[in-house]
Amino acid sequence: MSEPLRRVSRAREIYVRWVTPAEDEERVRDAFAFNNAALLHRYGWTDAAMARFDQLFAARCAGPGASELGRDAWWAMHAIATAREDLDALDRLTREVRARRCTFSPDGPPVATEGCEGELCEHVPRLEIAVRFRRLRDAADALDATAEGPPDAERRERAERLAAQLVATVDREPRHPQIPAALHLAAKLLAVDADRPAAAATLYQRIVDDIAPWRGEDEAARRELDAVVADAHFQLARAAQRAFDYERALASYETLIGAPRFAGGDAEMAERRRDAMVNAALLTARLGRHGAAADAWARAAEVLDGD
């Protein structure tokens, strides 16, 4: 920190410490406190900055002294916790803003209640869901990391419980942007770890029916959504194939092959489509449609020749 900036910071610190709110005729005390907290964060004293922001948030969250400064302090703590991937801190922020019934103005409605408008009012419920999804995903990753051989009874039970929690969270906020990934993870847990293929197929079908019409907010979200929907079609086709429902399997494979949204994707998407082409050719031949099978093998050969 440069010497001039240090002197300014020191002067603001003295003002905040010795000038009471009643004596603050220029109404700069809160701004000085916030700017010094931001300066601490900028120069690496993040824990101290979080403590300062927390004090401002508590003082300006609700009641006669409530103001937008409390909201700004909340967002500052949110940014720090997000950068650190500190789920406990994010969880605490959502609990505190609800428990304190923060209004951030003397006469406004509490955040995340009926009548509340603005970015924070929409963000708090979504953040609660996002934190829950992340905790469940971490638990699923931990389960996967300990997997050795076929799933035993304990692993199946844990996987089924995690899948149920994911689906319950999805049902609480059915338009949350992480819904596709959450449903996909729940389906994989049921299929691979819980050994519940029929239950997994129900979730894959839900993805196809309910999630496929969605459109991502940006290019990255669109690619992620398309990958989830493509895998759902592929897993449904495999499930139908194992059940000897070849017509249904073939229809799912053809959707994956022919839908424009799945063309030109990444390497994983390209591999999914190649596998779908080969399986579709095999099924067409098994159904005795030899002319169509020849066309299907020719189609598959076009993409296999480059491998």
Side-chain angles (χ1 to χ4, degrees):
M1 186 185 301
S2 66
E3 187 57 31
L5 189 56
R6 189 187 302 275
R7 287 199 297 268
V8 169
S9 172
R10 178 63 177 164
R12 290 192 301 223
E13 193 75 15
I14 292 171
Y15 187 96
V16 169
R17 180 172 300 178
W18 294 106
V19 177
T20 67
E23 296 168 336
D24 182 26
E25 296 180 358
E26 300 296 326
R27 298 292 184 267
V28 295
R29 190 174 182 275
D30 282 350
F32 283 175
F34 185 91
N35 289 337
N36 269 9
L39 202 62
L40 286 171
H41 174 49
R42 170 67 177 82
Y43 284 92
W45 291 289
T46 304
D47 290 336
M50 283 287 279
R52 298 286 186 91
F53 285 132
D54 195 37
Q55 291 172 1
L56 290 169
F57 162 68
R60 296 290 180 246
C61 156
S67 73
E68 291 188 358
L69 184 86
R71 177 187 286 114
D72 292 341
W74 190 94
W75 279 115
M77 292 189 289
H78 175 277
I80 293 170
T82 300
R84 289 176 160 184
E85 296 189 356
D86 187 340
L87 298 184
D88 290 338
L90 290 171
D91 209 14
R92 184 185 69 81
L93 285 172
T94 60
R95 289 199 312 271
E96 286 286 311
V97 81
R98 285 190 185 275
R100 294 175 181 272
R101 296 183 62 79
C102 294
T103 60
F104 302 116
S105 68
D107 55 358
V111 167
T113 61
E114 187 175 355
C116 178
E117 297 180 353
E119 184 180 5
L120 190 58
C121 298
E122 298 177 0
H123 184 75
V124 167
R126 289 196 164 202
L127 179 59
E128 290 171 330
I129 298 296
V131 169
R132 182 160 178 77
F133 279 153
R134 176 59 186 271
R135 290 193 188 282
L136 290 171
R137 191 186 74 190
D138 288 348
D141 289 343
L143 180 66
D144 187 58
T146 59
E148 292 183 5
D152 57 19
E154 181 183 356
R155 183 174 156 202
R156 287 195 296 270
E157 182 181 351
R158 288 174 60 192
E160 193 165 356
R161 185 168 61 249
L162 284 172
Q165 290 172 333
L166 281 163
V167 173
T169 307
V170 165
D171 291 339
R172 281 178 54 193
E173 186 70 28
R175 293 300 300 179
H176 194 280
Q178 294 183 25
I179 293 296
L183 278 178
H184 189 236
L185 177 56
K188 288 176 66 178
L189 283 166
L190 289 171
V192 177
D193 296 297
D195 196 21
R196 293 283 306 281
T202 299
L203 290 185
Y204 285 126
Q205 190 63 55
R206 180 173 174 180
I207 291 171
V208 168
D209 293 340
D210 298 343
I211 305 301
W214 288 22
R215 292 295 177 263
E217 296 178 356
D218 53 34
E219 183 63 21
R222 185 193 65 77
R223 287 197 301 269
E224 182 179 358
L225 178 62
D226 287 350
V228 166
V229 175
D231 190 56
H233 279 295
F234 189 84
Q235 299 303 333
L236 285 171
R238 290 183 62 189
Q241 190 171 345
R242 286 193 295 268
F244 305 104
D245 189 348
Y246 295 149
E247 294 288 0
R248 186 176 179 186
L250 191 57
S252 292
Y253 285 135
E254 289 296 339
T255 298
L256 178 54
I257 296 165
R261 69 185 297 180
F262 303 133
D266 59 14
E268 186 175 353
M269 179 75 80
E271 182 179 1
R272 273 279 180 266
R273 295 180 75 245
R274 284 196 299 270
D275 291 345
M277 289 179 189
V278 171
N279 290 345
L282 288 168
L283 285 181
T284 306
R286 189 168 295 176
L287 288 167
R289 301 168 188 168
H290 302 298
D295 294 337
W297 279 117
R299 179 180 62 184
E302 290 179 3
V303 296
L304 292 171
D305 284 346
D307 294 342

